[in-house]
Amino acid sequence: MEPILQTQKLSHVYSAGTPFQRAALTDVDLDIYPGEYLGIIGHTGSGKSTLIQHLNGLLKPTEGKVLFRGQDIWESKERTRQTRFHVGLVFQYPEYQLFEETIYKDISFGPRNMGLDEAEIDRRVREAAHFVGLRDEQLERSPFELSGGQKRRVAIAGVIAMEPEVLILDEPTAGLDPIGVEQILGNIRDYHEAHGATIILVSHSMEEVARTVDRLVVVNDGVIPFQGAPREVFQHGDELEAMGLGVPQMTRVFHQLRAMGVDIDASVYTIEQARRAIRDYRSRKGAR
Ligand SMILES: Nc1ncnc2c1ncn2[C@@H]1O[C@H](COP(=O)(O)OP(=O)(O)OP(=O)(O)O)[C@@H](O)[C@H]1O
Ligand SMILES: [Mg+2]
């Protein structure tokens, strides 16, 4: 399968030539495939936001390329513009970027920019609102009357209403309570399933990505040291720990069991997998 998005030797240097010069990404090669649910994880300042802002042409590479469906997104102005419609980006703390007087107007901002007709805009606004659990009668209210979690869902709806093929979310659950976290992860999963969209979820939390994504990309100091299925990435427990990341608690317990000489499958990160590993261990012991 051809990647939907690709970075080739992507480097980004902020404030080049000034005393504040900072290399945020160095020679990053990353392939992202249509329909996958990708997680990006890394410590504060590792380069996650810088990386994803290149994927929809918000930042321009200092060196290297970004390709969307095999074509350089900076090839022409029109291509950059089109990429921004197909690759939707929800910023970190997007609730601070709501500005319209009604929720409806806020969600319709993106589709309106795309030049769609009024009926299509209306359909998309209602569908996007529905995805994030907003009721029709809330649409004429001011976004500023909402709670923090609800505001964030309005901001996500504004990007979903553009019906992007790739939906990128920069730490969408940061600072929310556990119920708010579950709602947002549920909204994203619904969009993923209903549209077959590619999802890129940036997160700080190993626990969160472990149970949501198909593939995990670790960013550390502007490079990608590991990527793969979560269970593969978690094999690098000590290195992840050294990057200030750490594996899920469940995985740590199983690694410790193995270190103590228990012959158990340690590539475990959910309760269900733990149950299976223990059952498997017990049946093997019983069989001996
Ligand atoms: N506009 C900017 N100008 C200069 N340096 C920047 C700018 N934005 C980010 N940086 C620096 O680039 C590096 C990568 O930052 P980035 O925001 O991509 O990290 P991050 O992984 O998203 O962090 P966080 O988890 O805190 O959101 C950091 O050292 C940061 O200080
Ligand atoms: Mg960030």
Side-chain angles (χ1 to χ4, degrees), residues 168-186:
I168 308 176
L169 303 107
D170 198 351
E171 309 217 21
T173 63
L176 299 181
D177 61 38
I179 294 171
V181 169
E182 287 319 308
Q183 280 170 336
I184 294 227
L185 292 177

Side-chain angles (χ1 to χ4, degrees), residues 1 37 54 67 162 185 206 247:
M1 206 194 308
Y37 195 145
H54 280 87
L67 310 183
M162 295 168 75
L185 292 177
M206 277 293 185
V247 298

Side-chain angles (χ1 to χ4, degrees), residues 164-213:
E165 289 169 68
V166 183
L167 176 63
I168 308 176
L169 303 107
D170 198 351
E171 309 217 21
T173 63
L176 299 181
D177 61 38
I179 294 171
V181 169
E182 287 319 308
Q183 280 170 336
I184 294 227
L185 292 177
N187 297 155
I188 299 168
R189 195 164 43 240
D190 290 347
Y191 184 74
H192 178 55
E193 284 168 9
H195 286 262
T198 309
I199 307 289
I200 302 176
L201 175 77
V202 176
S203 176
H204 257 96
S205 158
M206 277 293 185
E207 251 88 20
E208 180 174 299
V209 287
R211 64 197 175 85
T212 48
V213 310

Side-chain angles (χ1 to χ4, degrees), residues 14-15 20 22 24 42-50 92 171 204:
Y14 285 109
S15 312
F20 306 104
R22 162 88 205 185
H43 194 260
T44 295
S46 56
K48 305 180 295 295
S49 295
T50 306
Q92 239 167 324
E171 309 217 21
H204 257 96

Side-chain angles (χ1 to χ4, degrees), residues 158-278:
V159 176
I160 284 181
M162 295 168 75
E163 299 189 354
E165 289 169 68
V166 183
L167 176 63
I168 308 176
L169 303 107
D170 198 351
E171 309 217 21
T173 63
L176 299 181
D177 61 38
I179 294 171
V181 169
E182 287 319 308
Q183 280 170 336
I184 294 227
L185 292 177
N187 297 155
I188 299 168
R189 195 164 43 240
D190 290 347
Y191 184 74
H192 178 55
E193 284 168 9
H195 286 262
T198 309
I199 307 289
I200 302 176
L201 175 77
V202 176
S203 176
H204 257 96
S205 158
M206 277 293 185
E207 251 88 20
E208 180 174 299
V209 287
R211 64 197 175 85
T212 48
V213 310
D214 306 324
R215 194 158 70 90
L216 193 53
V217 167
V218 178
V219 181
N220 188 51
D221 207 7
V223 301
I224 297 178
F226 310 116
Q227 55 175 306
R231 62 168 61 222
E232 289 162 20
V233 170
F234 297 153
Q235 301 297 317
H236 304 278
D238 293 343
E239 290 116 305
L240 292 171
E241 206 85 53
M243 293 169 192
L245 285 173
V247 298
Q249 280 177 357
M250 191 65 80
T251 312
R252 203 169 317 148
V253 169
F254 277 72
H255 277 273
Q256 274 164 8
L257 286 172
R258 270 200 84 87
M260 287 162 64
V262 181
D263 178 21
I264 198 162
D265 178 7
S267 60
V268 158
Y269 48 88
T270 64
I271 292 174
E272 187 42 47
Q273 289 167 347
R275 200 175 278 147
R276 222 176 301 141
I278 292 168

